[in-house]
Amino acid sequence: MLKALEISALKKVYKGGFEALKGIDLTVNEGDFFALLGPNGAGKSTTIGVITSLVNKTSGQVKVFGHDLDTELEAAKSYIGLVPQEFNFNQFESLTTILVNQAGYYGVERSLAHKRAEKYLKQLDLWEKRHAAARMLSGGMKRRLMIARALMHEPKMLILDEPTAGVDIELRRSMWDFLRELNQQGITIILTTHYLEEAEMLCRNIAIIDSGLIVENTTMKALLSKLDVETFVLDHAETSVSPSLDGFSYRILDEHSLEIDVKKSQNINQVFTQLTDQKIDVKSMRNKSNRLEELFVTLVSNGLGNNNEKSSDKPEAGAN
Amino acid sequence: MSSKRNFVALKSIMYKEIHRFIRIWVQTLVPPAITISLYFVIFGSLIGARIGEMGGFDYMSFIVPGLIMMSVITNSYSNVASSFFSAKWQRNVEEMLVAPVPNWVIVAGYVGGGMARGILVGLIVTLVSLFFVEIQIHNIWVIIITVSLTSATFALGGLINAIFAGSFDDISIIPTFVLTPLTYLGGVFYSISLLPDFWQGVSQINPIVYMVNAFRYGFLGISDVSLTVSFGVLFVFIVSLFAIAMTLITKGIGLRS
């Protein structure tokens, strides 16, 4: 399978000596939907900066669809569409102007660029605002404008750095649908996000970066299977007896709800059986937090910042 | 394929730049016309009549080429300085940096935009001057070559200024403390032959003297310095400034981490 991105021994030391990347290796297959996660300051944006040539690397190698950034920079750049974390368009230009100019930088003639601008502005529900200055848009619209801009040259790989930051849930879900659709069309997507639910819902493979090192690089499925304990919150009907569960760690939150830790080796049916025996009716049940979030917190707080802790699981093939 | 892509990218940067200064025409195109009208009224009509002839021409005719050149210099420089610095400040310069645009195309695109504004303002000022004086043309090619090379030189200067600038103040320091004095002392309002020998010598290290005089030669056929030397100076400046701009952008000074 063609590699969309190959990073080897990538290091970045900023002026002043801060070592943002300590020699990372990362491979993303063509067609993948890949999550790059990490706490603030872990090195995600530096990695993206190096891939998109906005940050000069100190050492190491980066290849985009086989094109080395050191020797075939322009060829490599032509494959990438970038949606950065910060709004970085000209706030005084109209949406159409921003999109058409951006396409021009990739060699797309204006007539074709206008057609593409119409297509993406319509798909991203921005068509009505096409003549407005970018500064007049809401935060969610600005995020969508940056996605449209990144697609204008029809890249084979789309890199999104926190694309749904500050976006309401309804819009976020519609953006997820749009990204899934792009991925199904064959576009490789690399996503960084603080919404771990987003990564879990969208991505097939994942890398976690912490303190400039990749501490986990595996399939989403394999990573989630490592979760040993899941915590559930159960809402129950009012009862005169205090719930009691043998063999489970649990906490009574209030007179209507209960928090229970369920180990992988345990069966959640046993919880219901015991509660039913105590004549306690369960009204609803939910995860206390996102599963990936629980793992993420464990991985980065355990300080697994060394290569010996790396998972041996190979990322799965990207295509659906 | 690559040359076609570069050509489209160059057109896009130039289109963006020209569109920018036309969109804000009240700030970019109107002020030079007003300023130059005031120069004509004060230095031409009111004071000029008392000065009499200079270089064999009435004072108003003598200063017209210099005033046009002053507008070209100021506008070529400030267009690129403010536009490129704004692009850095708003970070939309990253739109070009992530795209497969060679650095020479970025430099050429911005310089082309600066030249376009400088030359357009030069035309506007020329049209305004027609209300005050009858313009004669001695050699149109000298005029075209001089105005093109001068606007390119100062557009490159504006680009280098913007690359180093860290704040909006930094893009006004050079025009205020360097460009304006050099322009006023560059023979716009007088022939340097009127100066004492020492100051004539000093004036010869002012590059604007060569640009103003070459331009004046194109209109009036008179110059304080040799035309060949003037073109040579312009050529050396363009090559040097282009090399500096390319080095800075390639190294990513002020642009890449």
Side-chain angles (χ1 to χ4, degrees), chain B residues 139-220:
Chain B
N139 187 329
I140 187 70
W141 294 110
V142 172
I143 292 173
I144 291 170
I145 293 169
T146 308
V147 79
S148 303
L149 295 179
T150 305
S151 57
T153 302
F154 284 94
L156 281 163
L159 180 63
I160 293 167
N161 188 170
I163 290 171
F164 281 118
S167 70
F168 280 99
D169 287 344
D170 295 341
I171 55 168
S172 65
I173 287 172
I174 301 284
T176 307
F177 295 105
V178 180
L179 272 190
T180 305
L182 285 182
T183 309
Y184 277 76
L185 298 171
V188 171
F189 298 103
Y190 57 86
S191 165
I192 60 167
S193 62
L194 298 177
L195 299 173
D197 287 348
F198 174 77
W199 291 109
Q200 279 191 43
V202 171
S203 294
Q204 284 177 8
I205 58 170
N206 178 358
I208 292 176
V209 165
Y210 299 92
M211 298 163 194
V212 168
N213 275 283
F215 201 55
R216 185 173 286 134
Y217 179 86
F219 283 98
L220 306 176

Side-chain angles (χ1 to χ4, degrees), chain A residues 54 88-90 98 101-102 105-106 149, chain B residues 16 91-99 101:
Chain A
L54 291 174
N88 70 341
F89 40 76
N90 188 331
I98 289 169
N101 283 343
Q102 180 70 18
Y105 304 151
Y106 289 83
R149 186 184 60 178
Chain B
K16 172 176 76 76
R91 295 180 62 179
N92 58 296
V93 70
E94 291 175 2
E95 291 175 339
M96 278 174 283
L97 298 179
V98 300
V101 185

Side-chain angles (χ1 to χ4, degrees), chain A residues 5-160:
Chain A
L5 178 68
E6 293 170 89
I7 295 177
S8 46
L10 182 63
K11 282 189 182 180
K12 173 64 189 176
V13 182
Y14 284 103
K15 271 184 189 170
F18 174 65
E19 203 174 4
L21 298 174
K22 298 172 181 168
I24 65 166
D25 298 307
L26 194 65
T27 300
V28 178
N29 287 323
E30 184 178 18
D32 201 354
F33 207 135
F34 192 93
L36 181 62
L37 305 184
N40 287 333
K44 301 185 299 287
S45 293
T46 300
T47 307
I48 289 174
V50 172
I51 299 166
T52 53
S53 75
L54 291 174
V55 174
N56 293 329
K57 65 184 166 62
T58 304
S59 63
Q61 189 180 45
V62 179
K63 285 184 181 178
V64 179
F65 286 94
H67 299 282
D68 194 321
L69 288 190
D70 289 331
T71 53
E72 300 170 281
L73 180 62
E74 284 159 26
K77 281 175 168 181
S78 64
Y79 287 103
I80 305 172
L82 173 67
V83 181
Q85 196 172 337
E86 308 284 342
F87 300 131
N88 70 341
F89 40 76
N90 188 331
Q91 302 277 345
F92 300 98
E93 296 283 10
S94 74
L95 277 63
T96 305
T97 305
I98 289 169
L99 297 188
V100 171
N101 283 343
Q102 180 70 18
Y105 304 151
Y106 289 83
V108 180
E109 292 282 3
R110 295 189 82 78
S111 54
L112 178 57
H114 274 286
K115 286 178 191 158
R116 285 191 191 167
E118 181 177 346
K119 174 182 155 189
Y120 290 120
L121 287 173
K122 282 180 175 169
Q123 282 185 6
L124 287 157
D125 206 16
L126 291 168
W127 181 242
E128 298 299 317
K129 298 280 184 186
R130 63 190 180 279
H131 299 306
R135 68 181 186 281
M136 306 304 287
L137 301 182
S138 68
M141 286 175 173
K142 286 176 179 171
R143 294 253 165 241
R144 282 179 281 156
L145 172 62
M146 293 208 294
I147 294 176
R149 186 184 60 178
L151 293 170
M152 285 299 290
H153 61 290
E154 304 200 326
K156 288 178 78 175
M157 182 166 77
L158 189 62
I159 300 175
L160 302 111

Side-chain angles (χ1 to χ4, degrees), chain B residues 39-245:
Chain B
Y39 275 120
F40 282 129
V41 169
I42 295 165
F43 291 101
S45 302
L46 300 179
I47 300 174
R50 292 167 183 261
I51 293 173
E53 283 194 351
M54 192 165 292
F57 293 88
D58 66 82
Y59 190 62
M60 184 91 96
S61 299
F62 181 83
I63 63 170
V64 166
L67 290 175
I68 297 170
M69 188 51 90
M70 192 163 80
S71 306
V72 171
I73 288 171
T74 310
N75 282 277
S76 303
Y77 191 94
S78 61
N79 191 72
V80 185
S82 61
S83 175
F84 196 81
F85 181 71
S86 292
K88 252 175 64 171
W89 191 71
Q90 294 190 84
R91 295 180 62 179
N92 58 296
V93 70
E94 291 175 2
E95 291 175 339
M96 278 174 283
L97 298 179
V98 300
V101 185
N103 294 329
W104 70 265
V105 173
I106 296 177
V107 173
Y110 272 91
V111 169
M115 288 174 71
R117 176 163 151 197
I119 292 169
L120 183 59
V121 167
L123 282 172
I124 291 169
V125 168
T126 307
L127 289 174
V128 169
S129 69
L130 289 173
F131 289 103
F132 299 91
V133 67
E134 197 176 319
I135 289 180
Q136 57 175 295
I137 293 174
H138 176 73
N139 187 329
I140 187 70
W141 294 110
V142 172
I143 292 173
I144 291 170
I145 293 169
T146 308
V147 79
S148 303
L149 295 179
T150 305
S151 57
T153 302
F154 284 94
L156 281 163
L159 180 63
I160 293 167
N161 188 170
I163 290 171
F164 281 118
S167 70
F168 280 99
D169 287 344
D170 295 341
I171 55 168
S172 65
I173 287 172
I174 301 284
T176 307
F177 295 105
V178 180
L179 272 190
T180 305
L182 285 182
T183 309
Y184 277 76
L185 298 171
V188 171
F189 298 103
Y190 57 86
S191 165
I192 60 167
S193 62
L194 298 177
L195 299 173
D197 287 348
F198 174 77
W199 291 109
Q200 279 191 43
V202 171
S203 294
Q204 284 177 8
I205 58 170
N206 178 358
I208 292 176
V209 165
Y210 299 92
M211 298 163 194
V212 168
N213 275 283
F215 201 55
R216 185 173 286 134
Y217 179 86
F219 283 98
L220 306 176
I222 56 164
S223 173
D224 292 332
V225 291
S226 144
L227 198 60
T228 312
V229 173
S230 293
F231 284 161
V233 167
L234 276 164
F235 182 75
V236 168
F237 264 90
I238 286 181
V239 172
S240 308
L241 293 174
F242 182 79
I244 293 169

